[in-house]
Amino acid sequence: MGSLDEGHLCVEFENGIEKEPETIAIEDAVKVLLQGLGEDINREGLVKTPLRVAKALREGTRGYKQKVKDIVQGALFPEVGVHDGVGHAGGVGGLVIVRDLDLFSYCESCLLPFQFKCHVGYVPSGQRVVGLSKLSRVADVFAKRLQDPQRLADEISSALHHGIKPAGVAVILECLHIHFPNVESVFLDSKHQGWVKVLVSSGSGVFGNENADAWVDFLGLLKFRGVTVEKILTKDSTKQSWCPSHSSPMAKIPPELVAANPEMVAAVASILGSLGEDPSRKELVETPGHFVRWLMNFHNTKLEMKLNGFACGITDLLKPNGEVGSLNNKHMHSELNLSFWSQCEHHLLPFYGVVHIGYFCPKGFNHIGKSLLQSIVHFYGFKLQVQERLTRQIAETVSSILGQFATDPAARAMFLEGIPDGTASQIS
């Protein structure tokens, strides 16, 4: 483990600028993870990955070094239009709302990023209000830490209450966590949902009681955004239904997996420490194992594709069905919205989407089944990838069918016309 165990004493530079020790430690840890996946850390696509990951993680957790008071102090000012205790521009007792703050954070259970939309409301007191842009900055301070949704909402609410000293603060978060399947489950569940969604709330002061009239006013103003009381999870249910590493039956960590990869688990623990966290904190104890288990989905996968004789030649697949016509009389077949799941080799972050495949098949021959094409997509998806190479590998695997699309603009145009609106226009 070297520097992961003993500390990194040497000084490294990037573009003439000295790297911070935390960055170097994370880079070393990422190299251990890549090697644990059986990858060559000197491969062209991976050479800069350790530094990219280190930069992304440190930027994404910069909130540990930020203080709310530095943001709020100096941004408080008297309410405009307050006369004799009656406010006319927000005013005493009036509700101030900021909606739809789009932010992201890192899940403390699995280290995968999650995105959320934040709605904040507060009732001014003492004739003081804060600049609306500061509400987003305060929320971002706590977002840029390892989090779970409920604690994130509580911390934003508490910080604003102490910083502004209003009559009350309300916070609602709409959170989306990527639900990444493992290699085995993706073939068993063709309708796998890509996101786990939760709605959480937190309040203080006049919002301290979830049945208070202030909540009715706040939720009433948010209702047209789709925020309803029925969808908001209780504090006790959030943790049980949030991160897939806890809630999914297939996400349980096999003891043998963790035992077989102690260097990788130690590397993730080292990353947590370098970010300013305590790896022994109860919420983080299982995080290294969760992250390693997810990462091992991409370990030079030995996924068996039952390609129905594909490797033996495409002619074995295109057998006549008894009504063979002219080989020049071809029909185009399309398989749209084939799901793929992969991981960016540049940043070790997940990405997923759909693949559209079209091919010409002579009339009277059996066309390739959807399950076969989906298997090809999954085979190349469950690797460290970039989308350009993923697309090329899928196309080359069925090149004897798809070749006409590379040389025939009319065929390509015909295929693109069949792709749902909003997708074909983005293809170059």
Side-chain angles (χ1 to χ4, degrees):
M1 294 292 292
S3 62
L4 295 181
D5 294 331
E6 302 167 5
H8 209 298
L9 301 180
C10 68
V11 176
E12 294 187 18
F13 294 83
E14 180 197 7
N15 298 326
I17 301 176
E18 182 178 343
K19 293 182 185 178
E20 296 184 359
E22 294 83 359
T23 299
I24 298 173
I26 296 175
E27 285 186 77
D28 290 341
V30 173
K31 291 176 183 178
V32 172
L33 295 176
L34 292 174
Q35 290 170 332
L37 289 175
E39 286 283 356
D40 176 7
I41 60 175
N42 295 314
R43 177 164 67 81
E44 181 180 359
L46 296 179
V47 171
K48 295 183 178 180
T49 295
L51 179 58
R52 291 190 183 107
V53 174
K55 285 183 174 181
L57 285 174
R58 296 203 66 196
E59 173 64 20
T61 56
R62 66 177 186 273
Y64 288 113
K65 296 183 179 181
Q66 296 177 316
K67 297 180 180 180
V68 171
K69 67 178 183 180
D70 295 334
I71 297 173
V72 175
Q73 286 181 351
L76 294 170
F77 54 91
E79 292 181 88
V80 176
V82 175
H83 301 287
D84 300 324
V86 179
H88 300 285
V92 175
L95 183 59
V96 178
I97 291 181
V98 174
R99 296 181 298 227
D100 300 327
L101 301 175
D102 289 311
L103 301 167
F104 81 92
S105 186
Y106 280 94
C107 175
E108 68 179 7
S109 293
C110 64
L111 283 187
L112 293 184
F114 69 91
Q115 64 189 76
F116 67 94
K117 194 178 295 291
C118 178
H119 312 288
V120 179
Y122 74 94
V123 178
S125 176
Q127 302 180 8
R128 297 194 311 171
V129 293
V130 68
L132 297 182
S133 65
K134 305 303 180 184
L135 298 179
S136 177
R137 291 185 59 190
V138 169
D140 194 52
V141 166
F142 296 101
K144 296 302 182 286
R145 302 178 184 183
L146 303 186
Q147 287 286 7
D148 75 76
Q150 188 59 61
R151 188 175 71 246
L152 176 56
D154 290 342
E155 289 181 342
I156 295 172
S157 175
S158 177
L160 290 174
H161 191 86
H162 288 90
I164 306 174
K165 293 181 171 52
V169 176
V171 174
I172 290 181
L173 305 182
E174 300 178 74
C175 305
L176 293 173
H177 189 310
I178 192 169
H179 188 186
F180 206 96
N182 57 29
V183 175
E184 294 80 12
S185 67
V186 75
F187 284 98
L188 300 176
D189 183 8
S190 60
K191 298 182 179 179
H192 178 86
Q193 296 298 312
W195 296 97
V196 175
K197 303 178 182 180
V198 300
L199 198 66
V200 298
S201 66
S202 184
S204 65
V206 295
F207 294 97
N209 186 330
E210 61 183 19
N211 296 316
D213 291 340
W215 270 113
V216 175
D217 294 339
F218 185 43
L219 290 171
L221 293 171
L222 294 180
K223 188 174 182 180
F224 76 98
R225 298 287 189 182
V227 179
T228 61
V229 177
E230 293 76 14
K231 294 181 180 180
I232 299 178
L233 295 177
T234 63
K235 293 187 178 183
D236 292 335
S237 64
T238 304
K239 292 184 178 180
Q240 298 177 0
S241 59
W242 170 239
C243 181
S245 68
H246 283 182
S247 60
S248 173
M250 290 175 286
K252 301 301 181 183
I253 306 173
E256 61 273 15
L257 177 62
V258 177
N261 298 280
E263 295 86 1
M264 296 179 72
V265 174
V268 179
S270 171
I271 290 174
L272 294 177
S274 298
L275 295 177
E277 267 288 0
D278 177 9
S280 64
R281 177 161 67 86
K282 65 177 182 178
E283 294 86 357
L284 296 177
V285 170
E286 295 185 356
T287 299
H290 287 148
F291 185 78
V292 169
R293 185 197 185 283
W294 168 73
L295 199 61
M296 291 303 289
N297 278 300
F298 310 96
H299 176 250
N300 283 336
T301 179
K302 296 181 180 179
L303 177 65
E304 290 187 10
M305 291 193 306
K306 296 182 178 180
L307 300 182
N308 299 323
F310 185 85
C312 297
I314 201 64
T315 55
D316 292 332
L317 290 171
L318 299 178
K319 292 181 179 179
N321 59 21
E323 300 177 359
V324 181
S326 170
L327 291 179
N328 294 322
N329 188 5
K330 298 179 180 180
H331 289 263
M332 187 182 74
H333 294 271
S334 298
E335 291 295 347
L336 306 180
N337 299 313
L338 300 172
S339 63
F340 78 85
W341 304 83
S342 194
Q343 177 166 240
C344 174
E345 68 177 30
H346 291 164
H347 299 90
L348 294 189
L349 291 175
F351 67 98
Y352 81 105
V354 295
V355 176
H356 308 298
I357 297 178
Y359 62 93
F360 282 102
C361 182
K363 184 178 180 180
F365 281 68
N366 295 318
H367 63 82
I368 297 176
K370 180 176 182 178
S371 62
L372 172 58
L373 295 177
Q374 182 68 81
S375 295
I376 296 172
V377 170
H378 284 324
F379 177 78
Y380 289 112
F382 275 90
K383 291 174 170 59
L384 299 189
Q385 276 286 15
V386 292
Q387 60 184 19
E388 295 84 2
R389 186 169 69 239
L390 174 61
T391 303
R392 185 181 68 251
Q393 288 174 333
I394 294 172
E396 288 178 348
T397 301
V398 289
S399 60
S400 58
I401 301 176
L402 298 179
Q404 184 168 349
F405 288 99
T407 58
D408 188 343
R412 178 181 172 87
M414 184 188 305
F415 172 58
L416 293 180
E417 287 177 359
I419 296 178
D421 293 342
T423 303
S425 60
Q426 301 174 16
I427 301 175
S428 59

